[in-house]
Structure formats: structure tokens, C-alpha cells
Amino acid sequence: VTITGNDTSGTITIVAGASTTADELAKITFDKPFANKPRVVFSPANRDSTKLGAYYDAGAATSTSFSIFTDQAPQAGKTYQFTYFIVE
């Protein structure tokens, strides 16, 4: 997992490994914790990412992190990208 950006906005790039399944794709930890649980807005940034059914579970997010989940298993070796915007 590579992040270009900061705690407020940027791009998340994920290259899927060999043994992938649908569920938690990545856990993103903030550099600095927010005072309260922030709101996360993210969207697919390439064609392959749109096919995953990616989402974040607001109930599982905390002031220190959030996770990206998928409905479909990522394909090994493919690169998935998401842009994000986070506000408290």
C-alpha cells in the first residue's frame, strides 16, 4: 500500500498479492489522530478499482484509521487506486 498525500486528501495505490480474498483490502492509519472520528469520502481512481465493489465501513473507522473493504476479490498483480478526502 502506497499513499501519496496526507491525512486530508490523496491517492491510495494497492498492488494485490497472490492470495487475495474479498473483505479488508487495506487499513489506512492517519499520521496524526483526529480529535473525533472523521468522515471519509473515497472513489476508485482507475478502471480495475471500480470492479471491486470497494467501500469503507463507517462503523469500523476510528479517529486513528479506516479500512477499505471489497465485495470482490482483487486479482493478483493488479494495481488498484483510490482517491480520498477526509474531514472531521
Side-chain angles (χ1 to χ4, degrees):
V1 177
T2 304
I3 298 174
T4 305
N6 54 41
D7 284 349
T8 304
S9 67
T11 302
I12 301 165
T13 302
I14 301 164
V15 178
S19 300
T20 60
T21 60
D23 197 28
E24 187 178 50
L25 180 63
K27 183 173 185 173
I28 309 302
T29 302
F30 305 124
D31 254 352
K32 297 177 184 169
F34 287 90
N36 299 296
K37 182 169 67 170
R39 293 175 185 89
V40 178
V41 177
F42 81 101
S43 60
N46 66 4
R47 182 179 292 233
D48 289 328
S49 299
T50 64
K51 300 174 186 175
L52 292 177
Y55 64 96
Y56 98 101
D57 182 345
T62 69
S63 63
T64 60
S65 68
F66 74 96
S67 293
I68 296 173
F69 296 91
T70 63
D71 288 331
Q72 303 294 319
Q75 189 174 0
K78 288 232 180 214
T79 298
Y80 300 96
Q81 289 188 314
F82 303 92
T83 55
Y84 65 91
F85 179 74
I86 298 171
V87 64
E88 187 172 10

